[in-house]
Amino acid sequence: MPASRQQERRAEAHATVLGFLNGRPTPHQMKDTTMTERNPILITGAGGQVGGVSRLMVGMLLEQGHPVRAFVRRDDERAQSLREAGAEVFVGDLLKLADVAAALKGVKRIYFSMTPQPYYADALTVMAAAARAQGDIEAFVHLSNYEQSYMTLEKMTAPDEERHSWLGGVVTDWSPQQRAHWVCERVLDWSGLPTINVRPTLFAENPHLTWMQQGPLSNGELRLPFGKQRLAPIAVHDVAEVCVKVLVDPAPHISKSYALTGPELKDMYGFAEDYAAVLGREVTYIPEEVEAWNEAFLDETVLQESLGDPGAARHVAAHLRIQTRLIASGRYDALSDQLETLLGHPPRTVRWALENNTRLRELAGAPSH
């Protein structure tokens, strides 16, 4: 190859690298007119389970023609599936500032979530610090939790007796994950970033309502310690759709926090009818005692086998135990039409979520006992 041509190739490669690092389109990207003038949207937690909020969001954004940079922890088959779907994959550690700053290059809109873990607040703080330093962020969408709608400073600092009475008598305090979200919302408040907090209630795909019930449901039983308390679970798909809408057009939502519920407020006797319809067999709700259920279903050893980390297992177990007590004490007995307003159409029901749950579909195909 002539020396002049080699110099041209080097210059082109150098420009391509600098362009990527500075968020500018590369010469190759510039051939695609749909990708040139828009910045990628950063989605964290994208390497999580298929059917999770982040993974659904990636698919929705790509389908609408928006460029996506998916932040994943490992370059595995899930990362490859994201590439094949059309996302740019960034492999890194959300706890490493250098990784996060590199992932943000050229990004102006961020969606942040990750699996519940002891370092959740650390990771969000790192992301917020990098985003603040970059200085040109248009929207930071944070997947928070419903409890933040009532975890006020006043409620959290009330005398023990008053606090416990308000929480329902079976709850002594907040879970480590709920505290992490409270800290995260304060960090974002103080950061000055254009933030939107999305606070969904209990997911219809929550472990309480899905994989923890596989054993009992195989016997035609729905065993939960919720008594006659009502709740309005929300479908993960609807949460993903709301977050996408906010990211695509963030201006009307900046500095707002949305406490979202599903469309139906029912007790577990009512929801047992949905399980029965999905499974094609009779399902009876059997109320359990709260602490006995927690001990039977939230075994840290079992969770550790699933999560592979003792610290994460303790964290998740503690969170789910508190969540169980809060539901049993009535703290999720709420219904709002805000989800439908944001979506612009009726939300999906628990029955829809159950029908589209892989584990329950497998159970529906098994012979009844």
Side-chain angles (χ1 to χ4, degrees):
M1 183 183 293
S4 59
R5 181 55 183 151
Q6 285 182 328
Q7 290 173 344
E8 288 177 13
R9 292 287 294 275
R10 289 196 190 100
E12 182 180 306
H14 185 62
T16 297
V17 171
L18 287 178
F20 171 73
L21 292 175
N22 290 299
R24 296 194 299 272
T26 67
H28 172 70
Q29 288 173 321
M30 289 176 69
K31 296 174 186 176
D32 181 356
T33 57
T34 63
M35 297 288 283
T36 48
E37 297 179 1
R38 288 179 298 163
N39 303 81
I41 297 172
L42 183 68
I43 305 293
T44 72
Q49 64 179 348
V50 175
V53 175
S54 295
R55 187 64 183 85
L56 286 171
M57 288 178 63
V58 171
M60 291 176 185
L61 287 165
L62 291 172
E63 187 176 343
Q64 294 176 28
H66 301 286
V68 174
R69 183 174 297 162
F71 196 118
V72 302
R73 183 71 178 89
R74 296 180 182 83
D75 196 350
D76 54 17
E77 65 278 0
R78 286 180 290 191
Q80 184 57 30
S81 73
L82 290 165
R83 290 191 187 94
E84 292 170 358
E88 173 195 348
V89 173
F90 184 95
V91 182
D93 186 343
L94 286 170
L95 291 170
K96 290 186 178 179
L97 185 56
D99 286 358
V100 172
L104 282 175
K105 293 292 185 183
V107 166
K108 292 191 175 182
R109 299 180 188 183
I110 303 164
Y111 167 79
F112 182 91
S113 75
M114 66 188 301
T115 303
Q117 60 164 283
Y119 300 108
Y120 189 100
D122 303 60
L124 178 132
T125 303
V126 167
M127 180 66 73
R132 190 171 187 267
Q134 184 164 300
D136 60 352
I137 301 302
E138 297 173 347
F140 190 119
V141 177
H142 168 223
L143 185 65
S144 190
N145 59 27
Y146 187 78
E147 294 88 332
Q148 302 311 311
S149 62
Y150 55 76
M151 278 181 72
T152 63
L153 189 65
E154 179 186 9
K155 293 292 186 187
M156 294 174 71
T157 58
D160 284 356
E161 185 176 344
E162 179 183 334
R163 187 171 74 250
H164 298 169
S165 173
W166 182 80
L167 285 170
V170 296
V171 191
T172 57
D173 218 326
W174 313 98
S175 84
Q177 186 64 26
Q178 289 158 358
R179 288 197 303 272
H181 279 292
W182 189 85
V183 170
C184 288
E185 291 202 15
R186 304 292 78 71
V187 167
L188 291 172
D189 286 345
W190 302 331
S191 71
L193 291 167
T195 301
I196 305 101
N197 292 304
V198 177
R199 301 166 170 173
T201 188
L202 190 76
F203 286 153
E205 296 82 357
N206 185 282
H208 288 90
L209 305 178
T210 54
W211 63 264
M212 287 182 182
Q213 294 302 313
Q214 283 188 285
L217 285 171
S218 66
N219 296 317
E221 297 175 344
L222 180 63
R223 290 186 170 271
L224 284 162
F226 301 156
K228 295 183 178 179
Q229 298 293 353
R230 300 180 303 170
L231 56 155
I234 188 170
V236 165
H237 192 285
D238 283 342
V239 176
E241 188 176 334
V242 164
C243 291
V244 164
K245 282 179 174 285
V246 169
L247 282 167
V248 169
D249 182 21
H253 308 286
I254 299 300
S255 300
K256 294 184 179 179
S257 295
Y258 295 117
L260 306 177
T261 75
E264 301 172 299
L265 185 65
K266 299 193 293 190
D267 61 24
M268 297 315 298
Y269 293 99
F271 285 124
E273 297 175 6
D274 292 313
Y275 285 90
V278 171
L279 296 176
R281 68 189 72 161
E282 185 178 347
V283 173
T284 303
Y285 172 47
I286 310 293
E288 298 263 354
E289 193 276 325
V290 173
E291 295 311 317
W293 190 93
N294 272 346
E295 185 176 345
F297 284 88
L298 295 175
D299 187 299
E300 287 184 21
T301 304
V302 175
L303 287 171
Q304 185 174 327
E305 290 176 3
S306 173
L307 298 171
D309 178 355
R314 285 192 297 272
H315 180 92
V316 171
H319 171 59
L320 292 176
R321 289 187 192 113
I322 294 293
Q323 194 173 54
T324 302
R325 295 176 189 135
L326 283 169
I327 298 169
S329 67
R331 289 263 60 88
Y332 288 79
D333 188 344
L335 187 66
S336 165
D337 62 359
Q338 193 162 63
L339 177 61
E340 182 167 0
T341 299
L342 290 168
L343 289 172
H345 61 74
R348 290 162 177 81
T349 63
V350 167
R351 185 172 298 190
W352 181 93
L354 297 177
E355 288 171 345
N356 288 274
N357 186 283
T358 303
R359 296 191 186 211
L360 291 180
R361 279 205 307 267
E362 292 171 356
L363 193 59
S368 58
H369 296 282

